[in-house]
Amino acid sequence: MSWTDERVELLKKMWGEGQSASQIAKELGGVTRNAVIGKVHRLGLSNRAGGAAPAAAAADKPEAKPKPETKVKPAPKPAPKPEVEPEDQPEPVVEVRAPAPLPARKAIIPAGQPLPPQPSANEIDPAALAKVSEIEKKAKKLTLMELTEKTCKWPVGDPATPDFWFCGLPVQQGKPYCEAHVGVAFQPMSSRRDRRR
DNA sequence: CCCTGATTCGC
DNA sequence: GCGAATCAGG
C-alpha cells in the first residue's frame, strides 16, 4: 500500500479527530501504526495542535542518553493548515444527569461483559464527572451490538429513550470503560475521609 | 501485558 | 519517502 491522496486525507482527518495511530492504521489497512506515525511526522502534523496546544515545558530535556551518532536537530514544522471540518454539532447541551441503569442487561450483553453498578446518587469526584461530560461529546455513540471488548461500554442517556447509546471510546486496558468512565465507574468507595496511610 | 506516540536509520 | 525496530512512557 502506498500513501495515496485519499489515504493521506483520511489519515489527516482521523489524526485530527484524535484517533490513535493504530486505529488509523487499522482503518486504512495495509499499514502499521508505525507507518501511520511515520507519515504523520513526515507530514509535519505530529502534534494534534489546533489552538489548545500548550507550549509548556519545552525548554530543556534532561537528555542523558549515550547517543553514539551525529545528532540532527529536527526542523521545526511550519504551521499546518487547520482544516476546518464543519462536522456534526447536534448536541450543544450536555445533560448532567447520572447514567441510568441498564434494562435487562444480564441477558443482552453479548460478550458477557458485566456492567458494574452505576453510580446513582453517589458522590463522585467532580473532576471525574466533568471529564466524563466532556468526553461524552466525543463518544462514538455505539449501539449495543457495536460494542466490542475494546469499546467503552458506558451507557449514556435513558435506555427508554431513542438517544441512548454507549460511549464506545477506546477502553482502558482490562477495563470495560474508557479512561474517563473508568474514573467514575471504579470510584473506590471512599466517600469517607478515611485514607489508610 | 495492553497500549500510546517519538525517533532512528536502512532501505 | 517509507516503515520496522526501537525507545520511552501510561
Side-chain angles (χ1 to χ4, degrees):
Chain A
M1 277 296 181
S2 59
W3 286 109
T4 66
D5 211 31
E6 304 172 17
R7 290 164 68 76
V8 172
E9 239 185 278
L10 182 55
L11 164 62
K12 284 181 181 174
K13 187 189 177 227
M14 291 184 73
W15 185 261
E17 288 174 3
Q19 305 270 14
S20 71
S22 60
Q23 282 183 304
I24 298 174
K26 198 176 87 178
E27 176 73 25
L28 287 169
V31 286
T32 65
R33 71 178 198 92
N34 291 301
V36 170
I37 292 174
K39 185 60 179 175
V40 161
H41 277 231
R42 268 172 257 124
L43 287 174
L45 37 77
S46 59
N47 96 4
R48 308 202 215 230
D60 63 10
K61 299 183 177 186
E63 291 282 69
K65 301 230 158 290
K67 289 272 164 55
E69 286 299 320
T70 309
K71 219 173 184 301
V72 181
K73 247 297 93 174
K77 64 280 166 187
K81 308 121 208 318
E83 291 190 9
V84 183
E85 287 283 289
E87 285 296 284
D88 51 299
Q89 290 277 18
E91 276 147 291
V93 183
V94 175
E95 292 290 300
V96 198
R97 78 164 71 95
L102 289 180
R105 48 169 166 167
K106 56 173 67 175
I108 50 180
I109 302 300
Q113 287 287 354
L115 292 174
Q118 300 294 315
S120 49
N122 225 327
E123 286 187 26
I124 308 178
D125 185 20
L129 276 181
K131 196 174 183 182
V132 164
S133 49
E134 183 172 316
I135 61 97
E136 276 183 6
K137 298 173 189 172
K138 301 173 183 174
K140 294 293 193 178
K141 301 192 177 183
L142 300 182
T143 66
L144 186 58
M145 281 92 80
E146 293 172 312
L147 293 176
T148 75
E149 291 79 19
K150 294 185 185 305
T151 60
C152 177
K153 299 167 189 62
W154 188 269
V156 179
D158 195 319
T161 299
D163 45 39
F164 171 67
W165 36 270
F166 292 88
C167 174
L169 291 174
V171 295
Q172 192 93 67
Q173 309 129 245
K175 316 292 195 313
Y177 304 127
C178 66
E179 180 188 332
H181 284 135
V182 163
V184 297
F186 299 130
Q187 203 72 216
M189 47 62 168
S190 54
S191 278
R192 272 323 197 277
R193 79 241 56 159
D194 196 309
R195 175 130 306 203
R196 162 163 61 61
R197 187 178 284 263

